[in-house]
């Protein structure tokens, strides 16, 4: 469903004015109040998972992406199932409970490969598969001549557990057309989310800002997310972070600062009252700002996001990082708890890796 957002409405203008004008600490106070309304305990959760990019070959050509390679590029890859299995083993060895499986829009991979991959993972591993962003699902739908509902149904039947909110960027078509013209536009992107919710899946939702959009564009993004959430209740979490322009076709775009991040996070917490969890994006903002974010609406410290170069060095570094994450949470005044994708707590107490 396409929700038309009336930017002239009193409600929209009120939120915009708050975002533009409220003192930083006032925004933090409002966001913190909403955080405690939803999560009265002094608990900050985190998850141990692993980001697995099954292919870097992509035809979407997003201007902000430094990761992808065009087809026929010598550095293009598709990971064999066995390699993906090894990465999952390494993830589980460090206490990981989930993989985040995402890749480029690779025109050479048939749909059966994805279904086989789901079956292969589920046959060999007890792990939650958080996979295939809405943009990938739309790509599959167009590439394989299936409806979005069919793509999700088949992936789910083969083993997919939930869908991540990757590729959300700014959910305003004027912005998407400028930076990511060839991939899912706003209605398509949110349409995948809504269909996944209809099929009983929980998903997360993101916003990557700093693409040259206005503050009103960011508020519209939040309104669009809220409209879907009011219909489905299927979003478990909202995550925002700024564009990392280095090495991309948008390298001349100014980097945004910590204050902008905290204001944006706080606005999301204030506005998205129906979305239960907000993550602190310490991976992009640094641990210090990540801690401060816990007073600006975030109740979750996100994930460890293992990367292979470090994991392959026996995992020692990541154990240290887990300890450091937990220390950061404690130092900010909270109790750290490990969680699953649905935000339920794991039985083991945090601190096991220390
Ligand atoms: S679709 Fe993903 S991998 Fe492809 S260019 Fe865009 S951000 Fe990069």
């Amino acid at each position: 469903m396409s929700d038309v957002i009336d930017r002239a409405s009193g409600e929209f203008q009120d939120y915009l004015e708050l975002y533009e004008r409220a003192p930083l600490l006032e925004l933090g106070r409002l966001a913190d109040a909403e955080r405690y309304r939803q999560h009265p305990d002094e608990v900050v959760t985190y998850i141990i998972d692993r980001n697995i990019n099954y292919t870097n070959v992509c035809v979407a050509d997003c201007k902000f992406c430094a990761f992808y390679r065009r087809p026929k590029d010598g550095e293009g890859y598709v990971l064999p199932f066995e390699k993906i299995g090894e990465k999952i083993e390494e993830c589980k060895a460090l206490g990981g409970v989930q993989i985040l499986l995402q890749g480029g829009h690779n025109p050479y991979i048939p749909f059966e490969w994805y279904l086989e991959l789901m079956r292969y993972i589920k046959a060999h591993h007890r792990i939650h598969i958080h996979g295939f962003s809405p943009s990938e699902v739309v790509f599959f739908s167009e590439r394989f001549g299936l409806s979005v509902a069919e793509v999700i149904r088949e992936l789910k039947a083969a083993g997919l557990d939930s869908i991540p909110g990757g590729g959300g960027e700014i959910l305003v078509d004027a912005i998407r057309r400028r930076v990511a013209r060839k991939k899912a536009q706003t209605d398509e992107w949110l349409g995948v989310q809504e269909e996944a919710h209809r099929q009983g899946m929980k998903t997360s939702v993101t916003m990557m800002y700093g693409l040259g959009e206005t503050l009103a564009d960011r508020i519209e993004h939040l309104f669009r997310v809220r409209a879907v959430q009011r219909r489905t209740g299927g979003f478990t979490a909202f995550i925002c972070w700024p564009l990392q322009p280095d090495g991309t076709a948008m390298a001349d775009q100014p980097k945004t600062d910590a204050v902008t991040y905290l204001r944006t996070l706080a606005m999301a917490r204030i506005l998205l009252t129906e979305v239960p969890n907000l993550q602190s994006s310490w991976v992009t903002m640094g641990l210090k700002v990540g801690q401060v974010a816990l007073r600006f609406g975030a109740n979750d410290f996100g994930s460890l996001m293992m990367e292979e170069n470090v994991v392959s060095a026996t995992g020692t570094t990541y154990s240290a990082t887990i300890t450091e994450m937990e220390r950061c949470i404690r130092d900010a005044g909270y109790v750290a708890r490990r969680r699953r994708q649905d935000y339920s707590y794991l039985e083991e107490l945090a601190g096991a890796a220390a």
Side-chain angles (χ1 to χ4, degrees):
M1 180 185 289
S2 180
D3 296 291
V4 177
I5 306 301
D6 178 7
R7 292 190 179 202
S9 74
E11 190 196 23
F12 191 99
Q13 288 299 319
D14 287 348
Y15 279 120
L16 183 57
E17 192 175 331
L18 192 67
Y19 191 22
E20 284 173 343
R21 304 219 178 137
L24 176 65
L25 294 184
E26 173 67 4
L27 283 182
R29 191 186 62 75
L30 293 170
D32 205 37
E34 177 58 23
R35 180 258 196 246
Y36 275 101
R37 188 187 70 78
Q38 299 212 26
H39 304 279
D41 295 335
E42 305 278 337
V43 168
V44 168
T45 47
Y46 72 93
I47 191 168
I48 301 179
D49 67 0
R50 180 162 194 179
N51 194 7
I52 300 178
N53 298 122
Y54 57 87
T55 182
N56 66 345
V57 175
C58 191
V59 291
D61 297 317
C62 302
K63 286 188 180 164
F64 49 78
C65 183
F67 161 76
Y68 80 103
R69 295 291 178 271
R70 291 288 302 168
K72 301 195 169 63
D73 186 301
E75 293 179 2
Y77 70 78
V78 178
L79 294 180
F81 288 5
E82 295 69 27
K83 187 73 195 164
I84 292 172
E86 278 172 32
K87 287 172 181 286
I88 295 172
E89 279 303 335
E90 289 166 350
C91 174
K92 283 163 44 184
L94 286 180
V97 293
Q98 165 179 289
I99 53 164
L100 173 58
L101 189 68
Q102 297 185 108
H105 299 184
N106 187 329
Y108 301 132
I109 302 178
F111 193 45
E112 192 52 36
W113 186 91
Y114 299 100
L115 301 179
E116 269 304 308
L117 176 61
M118 296 295 97
R119 294 185 202 112
Y120 170 84
I121 293 172
K122 287 297 178 180
H124 296 91
H125 302 279
R126 213 167 140 249
I127 196 112
H128 182 105
I129 309 176
H130 192 45
F132 307 120
S133 67
S135 310
E136 287 165 274
V137 171
V138 168
F139 174 73
F140 299 161
S141 160
E142 289 168 353
R143 180 92 191 142
F144 305 121
L146 298 165
S147 68
V148 161
E150 285 168 330
V151 170
I152 295 173
R153 198 171 302 117
E154 293 210 29
L155 288 171
K156 186 172 176 233
L160 181 66
D161 293 299
S162 60
I163 289 182
E169 285 95 52
I170 294 292
L171 293 169
V172 174
D173 280 351
I175 305 300
R176 298 183 80 75
R177 274 195 297 272
R178 190 159 48 69
V179 299
R181 184 174 54 83
K182 297 185 201 164
K183 75 177 186 189
Q185 299 298 296
T186 303
D187 286 348
E188 292 173 311
W189 196 92
L190 286 168
V192 171
Q193 297 275 22
E194 199 153 354
E195 178 56 33
H197 299 169
R198 261 196 294 273
Q199 293 192 28
M201 276 184 177
K202 293 291 186 185
T203 70
S204 52
V205 60
T206 61
M207 175 165 80
M208 184 176 77
Y209 60 91
L211 301 168
E213 75 285 345
T214 62
L215 297 190
D217 290 330
R218 294 180 198 166
I219 296 292
E220 177 162 333
H221 178 114
L222 297 175
F223 268 57
R224 292 295 306 260
V225 170
R226 186 180 70 172
V228 172
Q229 185 71 342
R230 284 183 172 171
R231 281 195 293 276
T232 69
F235 291 127
T236 54
F238 174 88
I239 311 131
C240 65
W241 67 89
L243 168 75
Q244 310 293 309
D246 294 344
T248 75
M250 299 185 75
D252 57 345
Q253 196 71 24
K255 282 189 186 171
T256 71
D257 56 17
V259 169
T260 304
Y261 170 69
L262 294 172
R263 296 185 71 87
T264 306
L265 178 74
M267 279 310 299
R269 181 64 293 171
I270 294 163
L271 205 157
L272 297 176
T273 52
E274 289 95 345
V275 176
N277 301 288
L278 259 69
Q279 286 186 15
S280 161
S281 293
W282 64 266
V283 175
T284 46
M285 301 309 302
L287 283 165
K288 293 286 180 210
V289 177
Q291 283 177 305
V292 177
L294 300 176
R295 286 287 170 197
F296 282 77
N299 63 295
D300 185 88
F301 221 53
S303 76
L304 194 59
M305 285 290 174
M306 301 173 191
E307 286 171 44
E308 66 185 296
N309 52 342
V310 186
V311 173
S312 58
T314 74
T316 316
T317 312
Y318 269 109
S319 294
T321 308
I322 293 169
T323 308
E324 196 177 0
M325 274 175 69
E326 291 180 355
R327 184 184 55 72
C328 281
I329 292 170
R330 279 197 304 273
D331 284 355
Y334 301 92
V335 175
R337 291 292 304 261
R338 284 188 200 168
R339 66 165 174 86
R340 301 179 182 84
Q341 192 271 339
D342 66 1
Y343 284 78
S344 61
Y345 297 151
L346 283 168
E347 295 308 314
E348 315 87 89
L349 285 175

